[in-house]
Amino acid sequence: MLFDTHVHLNAEQFHEDCEEVINRAREAGVQYMVVVGFDRETIPLAIEIAESHDDIYAAVGWHPVDAIDMEQADLDWLEELSSHPKVVALGEMGLDYHWDKSPADVQKEIFRKQIALAKKVNMPIIIHNREATQDIVDLLKEENAGEVGGIMHCYSGSVEIAKECIDMNFYISLGGPVTFKNAKKPKEVAEAIGMEHLLVETDCPFLAPHPNRGTRNEPAYVKLVAEKVAEIKGLSLEEVGQQTTKNSFKLFRLDK
Ligand SMILES: [Zn+2]
Ligand SMILES: [Zn+2]
C-alpha cells in the first residue's frame, strides 16, 4: 500500500485521462494521494478531484513563483477552504529563486502570511523549495512553523538540513530524483534519515523516476520511488509502503 503525498492530477497534462491515471495508480497499489492546488485554476480542480474520489485528498496554497499575484481575497479563500473535509494541508508554499517572476521579498511575505494562516487554522504545510534552502529554514524558524509542521516536498538538500527540518516537525518527502543515477544527495538522505521521518511522492506530471525519466510522471510511479528507498535501506517495498503510509496518515491527521 502506498501514499503519494504530492500529485498534480489537476494539471492540464491530466485533463484528458485523469480517471485512467487514477485507475493505474490503484492497480499499482497507490491507494492514497494528495492533489496539490497552488493557484486560482488548480485549487478548485484539486478540491473537485478529492470530492469525487475516496482516499484522494487536497492541499491548497499559493506557489512562490506566483507570489506577486496573490491578493488578500486569495488568502481569505484559502482560509475558507481549510475547513473543507477533504483538505488536509496548506501548500504548496515556500520560496523559488529559480524563476524571477516574483521578487524574493514578495515571496517571503506571501510565505509568511500562509504560515500564519496555517497556525491560525492549525494545519500542516507543504513546502516548495528551489534554490532557496537556507532562506526557507531561517523563515520557518522565525515564523515558528514547527507549531504546525508539515512536509519538505521533493526534498533534495543535505542530510544536515533534513535533520534541522525534522527538529521543526517536518517530514522529508522523497520523489523521482532519488532514483536518478546522478542524484547523490537524495540517496544520502534516504540512507541516513529514519523511516519514521520519510514520505514518498511523485510531484507528477513532473520529475518522473528512472526508467521513465523525461516522460509524463503519474502516481503509479511512486512505486519506483518506494522501491528505491527500500533498496537503499535494505527493507521490503511493503515495509516502506506501510511506514510511509502510516507517517502520511499521522501528518495529515487521517488516523483518527
Ligand atoms: Zn513544488
Ligand atoms: Zn508540486
Side-chain angles (χ1 to χ4, degrees):
M1 186 191 293
L2 291 161
F3 196 135
D4 189 342
T5 59
H6 199 110
V7 305
H8 296 292
L9 290 174
N10 46 353
E12 60 177 343
Q13 287 90 333
F14 295 114
H15 284 355
E16 298 271 301
D17 61 348
C18 188
E19 291 308 312
E20 287 161 47
V21 168
I22 290 171
N23 289 338
R24 276 201 293 278
R26 307 281 203 216
E27 278 162 27
V30 186
Q31 188 174 347
Y32 305 98
M33 296 167 231
V34 172
V35 184
V36 180
F38 52 83
D39 62 17
R40 283 174 210 123
E41 284 75 45
T42 57
I43 288 170
L45 263 173
I47 303 263
E48 199 183 302
I49 295 167
E51 276 176 345
S52 52
H53 297 85
D54 288 343
D55 302 331
I56 298 185
Y57 300 89
V60 296
W62 208 263
H63 203 283
V65 168
D66 302 316
I68 198 150
D69 300 328
M70 194 190 203
E71 291 165 14
Q72 183 58 42
D74 298 310
L75 196 69
D76 295 343
W77 184 41
L78 294 183
E79 180 167 357
E80 193 188 310
L81 291 173
S82 69
S83 61
H84 186 288
K86 295 295 288 278
V87 171
V88 292
L90 293 187
E92 55 192 294
M93 63 178 79
L95 301 173
D96 189 321
Y97 294 166
H98 184 76
W99 307 103
D100 55 11
K101 179 181 167 186
S102 301
D105 58 331
V106 177
Q107 291 193 31
K108 285 181 185 170
E109 188 198 326
I110 295 301
F111 189 17
R112 284 184 205 278
K113 282 183 179 168
Q114 292 185 84
I115 296 171
L117 173 60
K119 286 161 70 177
K120 183 178 171 191
V121 300
N122 191 22
M123 275 201 138
I125 55 181
I126 299 174
I127 307 298
H128 171 100
N129 166 24
R130 195 156 179 201
E131 298 163 23
T133 306
Q134 196 55 54
D135 282 5
I136 288 202
V137 171
D138 292 346
L139 199 145
L140 290 174
K141 276 184 194 155
E142 283 165 27
E143 296 296 324
N144 251 321
E147 232 177 76
V148 288
I151 302 177
M152 304 307 289
H153 119 76
C154 207
Y155 185 78
S156 61
S158 67
V159 170
E160 289 66 35
I161 299 277
K163 286 179 179 165
E164 270 189 71
C165 296
I166 289 166
D167 287 343
M168 284 190 285
N169 217 359
F170 280 81
Y171 286 82
I172 306 299
S173 186
L174 295 169
V178 77
T179 69
F180 297 169
K181 285 199 173 71
N182 56 355
K184 215 175 128 223
K185 278 186 182 167
K187 291 196 183 80
E188 288 170 358
V189 166
E191 196 175 351
I193 300 299
M195 253 340 283
E196 69 276 21
H197 303 297
L198 293 179
L199 306 171
V200 287
E201 66 169 78
T202 53
D203 198 17
C204 62
F206 315 109
L207 291 168
H210 176 81
N212 303 322
R213 194 173 180 180
T215 67
R216 182 186 73 167
N217 198 1
E218 60 176 71
Y221 300 167
V222 80
K223 192 177 172 185
L224 296 165
V225 175
E227 275 171 351
K228 187 44 119 182
V229 173
E231 183 197 315
I232 292 168
K233 294 195 100 62
L235 298 169
S236 67
L237 171 64
E238 234 136 75
E239 287 169 312
V240 169
Q242 255 174 27
Q243 184 65 48
T244 51
T245 300
K246 194 176 155 198
N247 296 344
S248 307
F249 265 64
K250 192 174 166 202
L251 150 79
F252 294 126
R253 299 166 194 169
L254 297 168
D255 56 353
K256 280 152 220 145

Short mmCIF file of all heavy atoms in Angstrom, two decimals, residues 6-8 36 38 63 92 128 153 201 203 206, ligand 2:
data_model
loop_
_atom_site.label_atom_id
_atom_site.label_comp_id
_atom_site.label_asym_id
_atom_site.label_seq_id
_atom_site.Cartn_x
_atom_site.Cartn_y
_atom_site.Cartn_z
N HIS A 6 2.13 13.93 -2.99
CA HIS A 6 2.18 15.16 -3.78
C HIS A 6 1.94 14.88 -5.26
O HIS A 6 2.83 14.47 -5.98
CB HIS A 6 3.54 15.83 -3.59
CG HIS A 6 3.59 17.27 -3.97
ND1 HIS A 6 3.72 18.29 -3.04
CD2 HIS A 6 3.52 17.90 -5.16
CE1 HIS A 6 3.73 19.46 -3.64
NE2 HIS A 6 3.62 19.26 -4.94
N VAL A 7 0.70 15.07 -5.69
CA VAL A 7 0.36 14.88 -7.12
C VAL A 7 -0.33 16.12 -7.65
O VAL A 7 -0.99 16.86 -6.91
CB VAL A 7 -0.54 13.64 -7.35
CG1 VAL A 7 0.09 12.39 -6.77
CG2 VAL A 7 -1.94 13.83 -6.78
N HIS A 8 -0.16 16.35 -8.95
CA HIS A 8 -0.89 17.43 -9.62
C HIS A 8 -1.78 16.83 -10.70
O HIS A 8 -1.61 17.10 -11.89
CB HIS A 8 0.09 18.45 -10.22
CG HIS A 8 0.91 19.17 -9.20
ND1 HIS A 8 0.35 20.08 -8.31
CD2 HIS A 8 2.22 19.13 -8.90
CE1 HIS A 8 1.31 20.57 -7.52
NE2 HIS A 8 2.46 20.00 -7.86
N VAL A 36 -2.37 18.59 -5.04
CA VAL A 36 -1.93 19.89 -4.56
C VAL A 36 -2.34 21.00 -5.54
O VAL A 36 -1.97 20.97 -6.71
CB VAL A 36 -0.39 19.89 -4.37
CG1 VAL A 36 0.09 21.24 -3.87
CG2 VAL A 36 0.02 18.78 -3.41
N PHE A 38 -2.31 25.16 -6.32
CA PHE A 38 -1.38 26.23 -5.98
C PHE A 38 -1.70 27.59 -6.60
O PHE A 38 -0.93 28.53 -6.49
CB PHE A 38 0.05 25.82 -6.34
CG PHE A 38 0.18 25.33 -7.76
CD1 PHE A 38 0.33 26.23 -8.80
CD2 PHE A 38 0.12 23.98 -8.04
CE1 PHE A 38 0.42 25.79 -10.11
CE2 PHE A 38 0.22 23.52 -9.36
CZ PHE A 38 0.36 24.43 -10.39
N HIS A 63 1.64 29.18 -4.83
CA HIS A 63 3.01 28.87 -5.25
C HIS A 63 3.89 30.13 -5.21
O HIS A 63 3.45 31.20 -5.62
CB HIS A 63 2.99 28.31 -6.67
CG HIS A 63 4.19 27.49 -6.98
ND1 HIS A 63 5.41 28.05 -7.27
CD2 HIS A 63 4.37 26.15 -7.02
CE1 HIS A 63 6.28 27.07 -7.49
NE2 HIS A 63 5.68 25.91 -7.35
N GLU A 92 1.02 23.96 -2.00
CA GLU A 92 2.38 24.21 -1.65
C GLU A 92 2.69 25.68 -1.56
O GLU A 92 2.11 26.50 -2.27
CB GLU A 92 3.33 23.51 -2.64
CG GLU A 92 3.11 23.87 -4.12
CD GLU A 92 3.90 22.91 -5.02
OE1 GLU A 92 5.13 22.91 -5.00
OE2 GLU A 92 3.22 22.15 -5.74
N HIS A 128 7.58 24.07 -0.77
CA HIS A 128 8.26 24.01 -2.06
C HIS A 128 9.55 24.83 -1.95
O HIS A 128 9.51 25.99 -1.56
CB HIS A 128 7.35 24.59 -3.15
CG HIS A 128 8.03 24.78 -4.47
ND1 HIS A 128 7.90 23.89 -5.52
CD2 HIS A 128 8.84 25.77 -4.93
CE1 HIS A 128 8.62 24.32 -6.55
NE2 HIS A 128 9.19 25.46 -6.23
N HIS A 153 8.70 19.06 0.57
CA HIS A 153 8.31 18.26 -0.59
C HIS A 153 9.43 18.16 -1.62
O HIS A 153 10.17 19.10 -1.83
CB HIS A 153 6.99 18.81 -1.15
CG HIS A 153 6.99 19.31 -2.54
ND1 HIS A 153 7.01 18.47 -3.63
CD2 HIS A 153 6.97 20.57 -3.04
CE1 HIS A 153 6.99 19.21 -4.73
NE2 HIS A 153 6.97 20.47 -4.40
N GLU A 201 6.61 10.58 -2.81
CA GLU A 201 5.73 11.37 -3.68
C GLU A 201 6.21 11.27 -5.11
O GLU A 201 7.34 10.85 -5.37
CB GLU A 201 5.76 12.85 -3.25
CG GLU A 201 7.13 13.51 -3.47
CD GLU A 201 7.10 15.02 -3.30
OE1 GLU A 201 7.08 15.49 -2.15
OE2 GLU A 201 7.10 15.73 -4.31
N ASP A 203 5.16 14.20 -7.38
CA ASP A 203 5.11 15.55 -7.94
C ASP A 203 4.72 15.48 -9.42
O ASP A 203 5.13 16.32 -10.21
CB ASP A 203 6.45 16.29 -7.77
CG ASP A 203 6.32 17.80 -7.92
OD1 ASP A 203 5.18 18.31 -7.83
OD2 ASP A 203 7.34 18.47 -8.14
N PHE A 206 5.55 16.08 -13.18
CA PHE A 206 6.98 16.40 -13.28
C PHE A 206 7.84 15.29 -12.69
O PHE A 206 7.35 14.46 -11.93
CB PHE A 206 7.28 17.73 -12.57
CG PHE A 206 6.27 18.80 -12.88
CD1 PHE A 206 5.35 19.21 -11.92
CD2 PHE A 206 6.19 19.36 -14.15
CE1 PHE A 206 4.39 20.17 -12.20
CE2 PHE A 206 5.23 20.32 -14.45
CZ PHE A 206 4.33 20.72 -13.47
ZN ZN B 2 4.02 20.45 -6.67
#
